[in-house]
């Protein structure tokens, strides 16, 4: 029997004549291997046929970011018959019978079908989170074992009051509630949009903890280098309001999670793990919405048994590129139990009945006392230009978002429509191209005006500051409105503006690059952005921000896989903030376009956002909410 006979037919080439996608090739390969496995175990031909189709569908779902696939989603299969055939094949097993010592590539858990690796990761992460959420950081005696419970509470209360003074008539102080939560629990999950005060809360929390325990070991981390750098900078800015003694003890470095864990040469492996945990007492992770299932599991594995974990993120942003939507599942809702509400009320003066009301879908029951939402933005009001646009997008109100963009009522938002052209043929309109080119005018000026004789770090800082003011964001890689085409156009424009001829080679002064692959040797990680600048010796170096706030030069020949970075995909922009953003929509609606993508793009801007595209594409994207299949929430709700 030839297993390939059971595979779905290869997808035809698209209109541009491109070959079958790597996504489908991967699914074909996995399905074929699993079919051969079942053959060797003597499975019936009819069962192998169903198995191969199920494995193909499961692999495709994993490529789309799903952790599992509901049996009801298997194409053209009866759910009961699919379950019977999968189990009869010998390569799938019920979760209740799954053993670490035996090799089954597929696991059925209830009505969900998993690849074995994802099943193991999800169950391990759920167990670690449940254990962390169940433990208080300390008992009521706080950090002094000999103190009375009341005395311990008073120390916590005094520390909080010093950092969060009363706000008469301002309503509940949710930042103070979150800090109190982190003082008393080992796991704290804070979800809030841009400018809602997450970093301000963390700065005050760390100051409280250091006052109570001066020797506390603290680490700051984020999924990308850019997000880690922003966290460090934001924390330093918020720390200006703290007493000098507290400022002196705040952490001055931040790390990518890969760097913190010590990425090994084998992908997905780290030097820090359960048998070699991190040397810290408090770990703060920013932009946690970017955590995929595997990275979240690795992080929890490496957390010491006594340590606190604080996760900061925005539940409404895009989920991770890889499988899973961990943060969105953890922060889908909040509602403190009566005992926890009473403890927090005693520390913050927020009434206990307010703390027990909650909001959202509290699916993860064991996390009920660990989650808090921030809804009040200090960067832009909910009715301001960007705030109102983000709110309408998040609510799925595409018509309202479009009307607001077109109204020109607020200079912070702008619409450039191209409904009257055929973008697949003509590409972005002249108005869109002009807006992109103008956005980088300050950057080109900084490159021309900054002398090579200036110290390298000062020169890099000046040019980086100009480059970070504006960014073009795109949703897709291909097509006339995709990443490759827009980067090619902007690179050509930059070379013309800077007088760079072809003899300069690929690493001409002013070219921005983004790293596409983790490289532990150069200490560069996926998403790190660097600028090609001339060094004092006349050679070009690529400068990257360093963990200490300085910049480090690297020879272009040492760069791992990279690309030009005048334009970024919205996914790659997560963790970044720019004064102004131009979002270019693709010519037609696409499955990658969703309200989460639009919301993430719009909220990268602090001052102004321009959206260019078709009205139909924008409104269609607002109507699409991303769904990722997973069992994490159900496990945390009690089905571990």
């Amino acid at each position: 029997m030839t297993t390939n006979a059971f595979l779905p037919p290869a997808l035809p080439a698209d209109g541009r004549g491109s070959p079958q996608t790597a996504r489908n090739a991967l699914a074909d390969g996995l399905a074929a291997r699993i079919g051969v496995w079942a053959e060797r175990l003597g499975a019936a031909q009819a069962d192998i046929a169903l198995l191969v189709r199920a494995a193909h569908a499961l692999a495709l779902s994993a490529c789309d970011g799903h952790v599992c696939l509901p049996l009801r989603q298997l194409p053209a299969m009866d759910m009961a018959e699919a379950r019977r055939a999968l189990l009869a094949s010998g390569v799938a097993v019920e979760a209740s019978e799954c053993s670490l010592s035996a090799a089954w590539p597929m696991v059925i858990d209830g009505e969900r079908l998993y690849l074995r690796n994802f099943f193991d990761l999800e169950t391990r992460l759920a167990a670690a989170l449940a254990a962390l959420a169940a433990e208080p950081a300390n008992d009521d005696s706080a950090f002094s074992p000999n103190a009375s419970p009341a005395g311990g509470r008073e120390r916590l209360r005094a520390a909080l009051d010093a950092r969060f003074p009363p706000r008469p008539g301002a309503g509940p102080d949710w930042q103070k509630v979150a800090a109190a939560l982190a003082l008393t629990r080992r796991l704290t999950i804070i979800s809030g949009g841009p400018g809602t005060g997450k970093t301000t809360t963390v700065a005050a929390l760390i100051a409280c903890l250091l006052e109570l325990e001066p020797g506390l070991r603290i680490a700051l981390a984020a999924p990308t280098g850019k997000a880690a750098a922003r966290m460090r900078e934001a924390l330093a800015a918020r720390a200006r309001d703290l007493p000098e003694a507290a400022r002196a003890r705040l952490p001055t470095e931040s790390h990518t999670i890969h760097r913190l864990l010590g990425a090994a040469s084998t992908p997905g492996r780290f030097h820090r793990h359960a048998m070699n945990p991190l040397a810290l007492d408090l770990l703060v992770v920013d932009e946690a919405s970017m955590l995929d299932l595997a990275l979240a599991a690795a992080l929890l594995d490496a957390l010491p048994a006594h340590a606190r974990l604080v996760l900061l993120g925005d539940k409404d942003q895009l989920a991770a590129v890889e499988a899973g939507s961990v943060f969105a599942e953890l922060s889908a809702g909040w509602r403190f139990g009566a005992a926890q509400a009473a403890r927090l009320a005693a520390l913050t003066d927020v009434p206990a009945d307010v703390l027990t009301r909650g909001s959202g879908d509290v699916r993860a029951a064991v996390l009920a006392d660990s989650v808090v939402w921030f809804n009040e933005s200090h960067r832009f009001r909910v009715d301001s230009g960007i705030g109102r646009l983000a709110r309408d997008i998040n609510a799925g109100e595409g018509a309202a978002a479009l009307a607001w963009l077109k109204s020109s009522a607020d200079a912070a938002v702008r619409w450039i429509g191209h409904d009257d052209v055929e973008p697949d043929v003509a590409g972005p309109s002249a108005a869109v191209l002009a807006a992109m080119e103008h956005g980088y005018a300050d950057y080109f000026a900084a490159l021309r005006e900054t002398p090579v004789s200036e110290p390298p770090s000062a020169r890099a800082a000046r040019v980086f500051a100009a480059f970070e003011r504006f960014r073009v964001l795109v949703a897709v890689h291909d097509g006339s409105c995709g990443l490759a085409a827009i980067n090619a156009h902007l690179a050509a424009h930059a070379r013309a503006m800077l007088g760079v001829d072809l003899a300069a080679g690929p690493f001409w002064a002013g070219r921005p690059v983004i790293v596409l692959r983790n490289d532990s040797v150069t200490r560069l990680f996926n998403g790190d952005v660097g600028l090609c600048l001339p060094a004092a010796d006349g050679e070009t170096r690529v400068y990257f921000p360093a963990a200490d706030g300085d910049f480090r030069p690297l020879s272009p020949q040492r760069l791992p896989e990279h690309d030009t970075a005048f334009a970024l995909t919205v996914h790659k922009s997560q963790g970044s903030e720019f004064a102004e953003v131009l979002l270019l929509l693709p010519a037609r609606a696409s499955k990658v376009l969703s309200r989460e993508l639009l919301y993430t793009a719009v909220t990268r801007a602090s001052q102004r956002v321009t959206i260019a595209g078709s009205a139909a594409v924008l409104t269609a994207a607002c109507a699409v909410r991303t769904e990722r299949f997973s069992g994490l929430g159900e496990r945390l709700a009690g089905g571990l």
Side-chain angles (χ1 to χ4, degrees):
M1 191 271 288
T2 302
T3 305
N4 287 339
F6 294 108
L7 287 174
L11 292 183
D14 63 21
R16 294 187 298 273
S18 61
Q20 181 181 357
T21 63
R23 170 179 176 273
N24 280 275
L26 177 65
D28 287 348
L30 176 68
R33 288 176 67 88
I34 285 180
V36 169
W37 194 332
E39 273 190 292
R40 291 174 178 170
L41 293 174
Q45 302 290 308
D47 291 342
I48 295 176
L50 288 175
L51 167 71
V52 169
R53 288 167 54 197
H56 191 271
L58 182 58
L60 288 179
S61 75
C63 291
D64 290 338
H66 300 291
V67 174
C68 59
L69 185 64
L71 292 174
R72 68 179 183 277
Q73 295 286 335
L74 290 174
M77 291 189 214
D78 174 75
M79 194 164 74
E81 177 60 13
R83 176 190 290 275
R84 186 208 61 74
L86 286 165
L87 294 174
S89 72
V91 294
V93 65
E94 292 277 12
S96 59
E97 300 175 12
C98 190
S99 167
L100 292 176
S101 61
W104 287 284
M106 300 163 73
V107 178
I108 300 175
D109 189 11
E111 297 184 356
R112 301 185 300 270
L113 178 64
Y114 288 84
L115 291 171
R116 172 62 183 272
N117 183 50
F118 283 172
F119 175 78
D120 290 344
L121 287 171
E122 186 178 273
T123 52
R124 200 170 83 217
L125 176 61
L129 286 167
L132 196 65
E135 296 181 21
N138 292 276
D139 59 16
D140 280 340
S141 61
F143 301 97
S144 176
N146 298 322
S148 67
R153 283 195 296 271
E154 288 307 311
R155 293 185 69 216
L156 292 177
R157 170 84 188 225
L160 285 165
D161 287 346
R163 306 290 173 247
F164 300 92
R167 307 186 311 168
D173 188 344
W174 293 108
Q175 294 183 23
K176 189 173 186 179
V177 169
L181 184 63
L183 285 176
T184 57
R185 309 295 300 178
R186 286 189 58 212
L187 176 64
T188 301
I189 300 166
I190 304 174
S191 176
T196 51
K198 298 188 295 291
T199 308
T200 299
T201 302
V202 166
L205 165 65
I206 292 175
C208 288
L209 286 167
L210 287 172
E211 178 183 327
L212 296 162
E213 189 174 346
L216 202 72
R217 298 168 300 172
I218 302 168
L220 310 176
T224 68
K226 186 64 183 176
R230 277 197 61 228
M231 184 185 192
R232 181 191 65 244
E233 293 160 4
L235 190 63
R238 305 301 188 275
R240 294 176 190 141
D241 298 329
L242 297 176
E244 184 175 351
R247 286 201 309 271
R249 294 199 297 269
L250 287 174
T252 57
E253 291 189 12
S254 55
H255 312 269
T256 64
I257 295 174
H258 284 83
R259 188 173 296 151
L260 180 74
L261 295 177
S265 55
T266 303
R269 301 282 184 174
F270 299 97
H271 296 298
R272 294 290 188 175
H273 44 72
M275 302 304 294
N276 182 32
L278 295 162
L280 52 78
D281 305 303
L282 168 67
L283 174 59
V284 180
V285 179
D286 200 9
E287 298 294 344
S289 60
M290 299 168 67
L291 284 173
D292 60 77
L293 175 65
L295 191 57
L299 190 67
L300 268 292
D301 277 349
L303 196 70
H306 69 281
R308 288 179 175 84
L309 175 63
V310 177
L311 299 177
L312 311 172
D314 185 345
K315 62 181 177 59
D316 297 316
Q317 277 193 34
L318 279 168
V321 175
E322 303 297 333
S325 53
V326 173
F327 189 81
E329 289 192 84
L330 301 186
S331 58
W334 71 270
R335 185 172 293 107
F336 295 118
Q340 178 71 341
R343 282 191 292 269
L344 294 175
L347 292 172
T348 65
D349 288 334
V350 175
D353 66 316
V354 172
L355 296 170
T356 55
R357 288 175 194 165
S359 186
D361 180 9
V362 188
R363 289 174 293 178
V366 300
L367 302 184
D369 287 344
S370 298
V371 181
V372 64
W373 287 0
F374 290 175
N375 292 317
E376 181 184 358
S377 177
H378 305 283
R379 183 183 301 173
F380 34 72
R381 304 184 318 275
V382 71
D383 60 345
S384 68
I386 297 175
R388 177 169 170 176
L389 180 60
R391 182 196 65 195
D392 288 342
I393 289 170
N394 217 8
E397 300 289 345
L402 183 63
W404 177 239
L405 281 164
K406 288 183 172 181
S407 71
S408 301
D410 193 312
V413 296
R414 181 170 59 144
W415 169 254
I416 306 178
H418 57 211
D419 293 276
D420 57 340
V421 299
E422 181 59 47
D424 277 350
V425 177
S429 68
V432 174
L433 294 175
M436 292 180 187
E437 294 164 1
H438 177 71
Y440 287 110
D442 287 347
Y443 175 55
F444 300 145
L447 286 166
R448 288 191 297 264
E449 296 166 6
T450 304
V452 178
S453 58
E454 192 171 355
S457 290
R459 186 173 73 252
R462 185 195 303 266
V463 176
F464 256 99
F467 179 65
E468 293 297 289
R469 290 184 194 129
F470 173 78
R471 196 70 83 251
V472 175
L473 302 182
V474 299
V476 296
H477 284 82
D478 301 324
S480 60
C481 296
L483 185 71
I486 300 307
N487 265 325
H489 174 85
L490 290 172
H493 174 70
R495 293 174 76 115
M497 294 296 294
L498 299 171
V500 178
D501 58 35
L502 294 176
F507 297 102
W508 40 274
R511 181 193 174 200
V513 298
I514 182 167
V515 174
L516 302 178
R517 177 176 55 80
N518 295 336
D519 186 86
S520 57
V521 175
T522 57
R523 291 178 290 120
L524 293 175
F525 297 90
N526 190 354
D528 287 352
V529 172
L531 295 179
C532 297
L533 298 172
D537 60 6
E539 296 295 321
T540 298
R541 301 284 188 276
V542 188
Y543 286 81
F544 288 90
D548 60 0
D550 201 352
F551 295 86
R552 64 186 184 100
L554 196 71
S555 168
Q557 286 69 38
R558 297 187 63 203
L559 282 181
E561 185 182 355
H562 60 277
D563 196 2
T564 301
F566 282 111
L568 299 177
T569 62
V570 178
H571 272 287
K572 290 289 188 183
S573 76
Q574 284 184 271
S576 299
E577 178 187 321
F578 311 102
E580 184 174 354
V581 159
L582 187 153
L583 171 63
L584 178 62
L585 299 177
R588 294 182 177 85
S590 162
K591 70 175 185 178
V592 304
L593 283 175
S594 64
R595 68 182 68 168
E596 290 86 358
L597 183 138
L598 296 180
Y599 171 85
T600 301
V602 164
T603 55
R604 296 312 89 207
S606 61
Q607 297 177 21
R608 191 182 194 201
V609 63
T610 298
I611 298 182
S614 155
V617 170
L618 176 71
T619 53
C622 287
V624 175
R625 177 173 285 284
T626 301
E627 179 184 15
R628 285 200 169 174
F629 300 130
S630 165
L632 182 61
E634 186 174 323
R635 295 185 197 287
L636 290 169
L640 293 176

